[in-house]
């Protein structure tokens, strides 16, 4: 291997982006990607969307073609995991028994599906969705007439619900909260998507605390706390993710529900970086501690890491953003909403195209856009600027969002105090 | 094709499996690339280290791969989808007869030798 190897553990969006970023920034030392999976690193967003569609290929688009890695001098070890880090000798022990020296180590191990812990969770027919293999397996089970119970009404659960309904399955979503996507959006958006799914035949049960998966050889039903039993041929758990931080934690790096990193992606060991879903960091925008599960963050952090390793300045990161597509309807979110933000609905949800803007102390903090990419794009820019918004103007969809700004804060000190209390 | 770093002369004088693409970056510097048949225009730009973020992976969700095409080339392309158009009209420096998301421009022999200009970043 070339001198000064940067060893990257994990070949998801962030790991691959670190490797590509090092080369595009002129890094001349070695670059080695350690990939737990066997095929070329691939795109993940399609796994819960396009790939599940009837007649779609089992392949998911690759992040980079094979030739790219060869051309750029990026070495890949496929089907191999990192078992432990020896920080004193700066080596990583790999699952194939070899030991790999590093000049810099980047941990980009991502996240895994949070496992269901109820009795019966291990029965065949109970799935989660994280990898391409998961998606291909799930697709085979989504046959017409199959009874599909989905636990959790977040992005993954709802995207699978939409795909399953489209394939003619009988779909029930069991959600502990009282509305869909409650963690990531406000009630008007939740209501809109609940109704959208309802029109496609998806049933929702809110306040449902799953107590067990029951069956003989395989999952046959799901039981909830009030005693109701939902027959199911397929059970999908979409109840969030856990950061794959064990490699870092075992090596004594600081972790707290995510590997702690600074603005350059550095962990508590200056020779070791971390990037993507696995990290926790202080948001430069609102000062809160965050773990962001999105492509935007995976790429932005990768750029910071590559920039720092090569001694260059990183690009200004985009505002965090997220998207989901359900029954062909696109929801795009920019910024990270807080539940206490002022919520303004722009447009009529029943028309199918609207936005919800979130103001924090008078400034645009986040936006949800439903089939409304113009607002998404405008809002992303306004959030980055910390623009003050006039709530009355913002509520009028006939006025472009960029013209709904106000030169000064639009609220009195009394309003502010009330908003904070 | 085994040769990965061909000179411009041999690319233009030989019938190649790939197209050539001339890219004007944000500093006005010109780059000549090979555009391979299995790449979208965005992928050709990104994989040749041009600063195209493409943060949605090519699904017309983000507009970070916005480019300007010359109008005569622009006019030959299929029309934008509604999503693409909505993203473009809000983009910095949008041109009605020139702006495209490069992820939505597929490889075509007709696009051999075209010039693409990277747009200002928002």
């Amino acid at each position: 291997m070339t001198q000064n190897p940067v060893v990257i553990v994990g070949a998801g969006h962030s790991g691959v982006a670190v490797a590509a970023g090092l080369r595009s920034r002129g890094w001349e030392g070695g670059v080695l990607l350690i990939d737990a999976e066997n095929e070329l690193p691939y795109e993940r967003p399609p796994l819960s969307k396009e790939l599940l569609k009837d007649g779609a290929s089992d392949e998911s688009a690759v992040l980079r073609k094979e030739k790219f890695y060869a051309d750029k001098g990026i070495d890949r070890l496929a089907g191999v995991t990192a078992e432990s880090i020896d920080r004193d000798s700066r080596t990583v022990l790999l699952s194939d028994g070899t030991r790999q020296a590093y000049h810099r180590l980047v941990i980009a191990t991502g996240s895994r599906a949070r496992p269901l812990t109820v009795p019966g969770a291990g029965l065949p027919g109970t799935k989660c969705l994280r990898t391409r293999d998961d998606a291909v397996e799930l697709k085979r089970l989504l046959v017409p007439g199959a009874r599909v119970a989905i636990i959790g009404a977040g992005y993954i659960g709802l995207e699978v619900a939409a795909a399953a309904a489209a394939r003619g399955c009988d779909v029930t979503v069991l959600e502990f909260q009282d509305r869909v996507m409650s963690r990531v959006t406000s009630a008007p958006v939740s209501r809109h998507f609940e109704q959208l799914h309802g029109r496609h035949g998806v049933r929702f049960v809110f306040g449902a605390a799953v107590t067990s998966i029951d069956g003989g050889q395989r999952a046959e039903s799901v039981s909830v706390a009030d005693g109701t039993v939902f027959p199911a041929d397929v059970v999908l758990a979409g109840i969030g993710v856990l950061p794959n931080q064990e490699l870092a934690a075992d090596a004594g790096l600081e972790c707290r529900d995510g590997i702690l990193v600074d603005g350059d992606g550095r962990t508590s060991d200056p020779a070791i970086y971390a990037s993507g879903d696995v990290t926790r960091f202080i948001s430069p925008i609102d000062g809160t501690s965050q773990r962001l599960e999105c492509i935007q963050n995976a790429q932005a952090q990768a750029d910071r890491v590559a920039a720092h390793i090569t001694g260059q300045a990183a690009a200004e990161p985009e505002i965090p953003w997220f998207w989901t597509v359900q029954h062909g309807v696109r929801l795009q979110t920019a910024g990270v909403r807080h539940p206490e933000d002022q919520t303004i609905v722009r447009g009529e949800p029943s028309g199918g195209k609207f936005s919800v803007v979130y103001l924090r102390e008078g400034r645009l903090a986040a936006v949800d856009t439903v089939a409304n990419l113009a607002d998404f794009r405008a809002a992303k820019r306004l959030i980055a600027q910390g623009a003050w918004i006039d709530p009355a103007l913002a509520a009028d969809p006939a006025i472009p969002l960029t013209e709904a700004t106000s030169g000064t804060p639009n609220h009195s000190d009394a309003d502010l105090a009330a908003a904070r209390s | 094709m085994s040769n990965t770093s061909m000179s411009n002369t041999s690319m233009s004088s030989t019938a190649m499996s790939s197209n050539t693409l001339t890219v004007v970056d944000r500093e006005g510097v010109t780059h000549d690339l090979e555009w391979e048949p299995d790449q979208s225009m965005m992928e050709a730009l990104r994989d040749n280290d041009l600063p195209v973020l493409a943060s949605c992976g090519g699904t017309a969700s983000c507009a970070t791969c916005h480019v300007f095409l010359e109008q005569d080339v622009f006019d030959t392309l299929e029309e934008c989808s509604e999503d693409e158009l909505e993203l473009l009209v809000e983009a910095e420096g949008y041109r009605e007869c020139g702006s495209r998301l490069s992820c939505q421009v597929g490889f075509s022999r007709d696009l051999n030798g075209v010039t693409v200009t990277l747009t200002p970043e928002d």
Side-chain angles (χ1 to χ4, degrees):
Chain A
M1 171 131 217
T2 331
Q3 292 296 298
N4 291 334
V6 177
V7 174
I8 303 161
V9 182
H13 282 266
S14 213
V16 170
V18 171
L22 284 168
R23 286 300 183 224
S24 68
R25 287 175 174 279
W27 179 253
E28 289 176 351
V31 177
L32 174 66
L33 261 178
I34 311 285
D35 188 354
E37 294 178 59
N38 279 303
E39 307 300 323
L40 276 180
Y42 54 86
E43 294 274 358
R44 279 169 202 265
L47 300 181
S48 50
K49 305 180 181 79
E50 290 82 2
L51 189 140
L52 294 181
K53 286 182 178 165
D54 220 357
S57 156
D58 283 354
E59 298 299 310
S60 178
V62 295
L63 289 170
R64 294 290 192 278
K65 297 191 303 174
E66 190 149 30
K67 183 172 174 291
F68 177 86
Y69 299 96
D71 287 353
K72 300 290 177 188
I74 296 167
D75 296 315
R76 292 192 310 118
L77 276 178
V80 173
T81 55
E83 301 292 301
S84 63
I85 303 166
D86 183 334
R87 290 164 58 188
D88 293 330
S89 66
R90 293 201 182 179
T91 57
V92 190
L93 177 65
L94 304 180
S95 57
D96 63 5
T98 61
R99 198 166 266 286
Q100 179 62 51
Y102 64 83
H103 167 68
R104 295 288 180 267
L105 180 68
V106 182
I107 303 174
T109 41
S111 52
R112 59 180 178 273
R114 180 188 295 277
L116 261 184
T117 52
V118 299
L123 283 172
T126 300
K127 300 285 171 202
C128 59
L129 175 50
R130 202 65 198 153
T131 64
R132 178 161 56 199
D133 287 349
D134 293 337
V136 169
E137 242 185 275
L138 179 64
K139 183 157 79 172
R140 303 235 150 88
L141 299 172
L142 299 181
V143 295
R147 293 165 303 178
V148 180
I150 293 170
I151 303 172
Y155 286 161
I156 291 287
L158 293 180
E159 288 175 6
V160 173
R167 294 173 73 96
C169 302
D170 179 54
V171 185
T172 304
V173 179
L174 307 171
E175 165 60 49
F176 183 70
Q177 300 296 330
D178 60 359
R179 57 187 177 88
V180 306
M181 296 186 282
S182 62
R183 193 172 67 93
V184 296
T185 192
S186 57
V189 177
S190 294
R191 194 68 56 224
H192 184 74
F193 277 87
E194 183 191 332
Q195 289 168 355
L196 172 70
H197 281 275
R199 287 197 295 278
H200 286 84
V202 175
R203 274 185 307 276
F204 289 94
V205 182
F206 294 108
V210 171
T211 51
S212 64
I213 314 292
D214 308 295
Q217 296 306 305
R218 51 179 299 115
E220 290 166 15
S221 64
V222 180
S223 298
V224 300
D226 70 4
T228 316
V229 176
F230 297 92
D233 306 302
V234 185
V235 180
L236 176 89
I239 53 173
V241 298
L242 298 174
N244 291 324
Q245 65 181 20
E246 289 74 9
L247 180 68
D250 291 349
L253 301 176
E254 278 184 59
C255 297
R256 202 159 50 241
D257 182 33
I259 304 172
L260 300 187
V261 294
D262 67 12
D264 295 314
R266 285 183 300 177
T267 69
S268 51
D269 178 333
I272 305 179
Y273 297 75
S275 184
D277 276 17
V278 76
T279 66
R280 174 171 289 278
F281 60 97
I282 301 297
S283 163
I285 298 162
D286 62 12
T288 60
S289 164
Q290 295 183 340
R291 190 158 59 72
L292 290 178
E293 301 146 13
C294 63
I295 305 287
Q296 174 277 323
N297 180 57
Q299 290 200 353
Q301 282 192 323
D303 183 63
R304 302 219 142 225
V305 168
H308 197 264
I309 290 175
T310 54
Q312 299 171 13
E316 275 301 308
E318 289 182 292
I319 294 298
W321 71 276
F322 313 82
W323 88 94
T324 175
V325 178
Q326 298 162 26
H327 304 290
V329 176
R330 180 187 285 271
L331 166 63
Q332 287 200 186
T333 296
V336 179
R337 159 192 166 271
H338 294 177
E340 62 275 16
D341 292 340
Q342 183 184 355
T343 299
I344 299 163
V345 179
R346 265 172 76 71
E348 186 43 60
S350 62
K353 173 173 178 160
F354 69 105
S355 305
V356 180
V357 298
Y358 304 100
L359 306 189
R360 199 169 305 151
E361 300 186 354
R363 293 177 190 271
L364 188 60
V367 68
D368 285 318
T369 65
V370 178
N372 192 354
L373 286 168
D375 272 6
F376 170 75
R377 194 91 166 107
K380 213 167 111 190
R381 202 152 43 203
L382 293 170
I383 294 166
Q385 292 164 0
W388 280 304
I389 297 292
D390 182 316
L393 297 178
D396 183 349
I399 298 172
L401 202 49
T402 43
E403 290 168 25
T405 54
S406 62
T408 53
N410 53 61
H411 43 67
S412 66
D413 289 348
D415 288 341
L416 257 184
R420 283 187 179 130
S421 64
Chain B
M1 193 178 64
S2 59
N3 194 346
T4 53
S5 58
M6 258 172 221
S7 74
N8 282 335
T9 22
S10 69
M11 286 203 316
S12 50
S13 61
T14 320
M16 300 288 298
S17 60
S18 55
N19 282 357
T20 63
L21 196 56
T22 300
V23 186
V24 183
D25 71 18
R26 297 188 183 105
E27 278 74 48
V29 179
T30 298
H31 308 258
D32 291 322
L33 318 180
E34 278 186 56
W35 180 6
E36 310 214 350
D38 59 351
Q39 290 176 312
S40 67
M41 184 181 279
M42 176 277 281
E43 289 171 323
L45 297 172
R46 182 194 65 188
D47 292 356
N48 282 285
D49 295 334
L50 284 149
V52 168
L53 189 58
S55 56
C56 72
T59 59
S61 308
C62 75
T64 57
C65 69
H66 176 200
V67 294
F68 297 137
L69 299 172
E70 288 162 356
Q71 185 170 351
D72 55 339
V73 175
F74 179 88
D75 290 342
T76 65
L77 298 176
E78 277 184 39
E79 281 188 26
C80 293
S81 69
E82 210 173 302
D83 282 354
E84 182 181 354
L85 194 60
E86 277 203 35
L87 286 166
L88 284 172
V89 294
E90 283 298 322
E92 190 79 17
Y94 167 66
R95 292 180 193 167
E96 197 178 333
C97 297
S99 284
R100 288 303 302 254
L101 297 183
S102 55
C103 69
Q104 301 301 300
V105 181
F107 180 92
S108 152
R109 292 279 163 223
D110 298 340
L111 296 177
N112 192 18
V114 302
T115 297
V116 180
T117 304
L118 302 190
T119 63
E121 285 177 294
D122 282 3

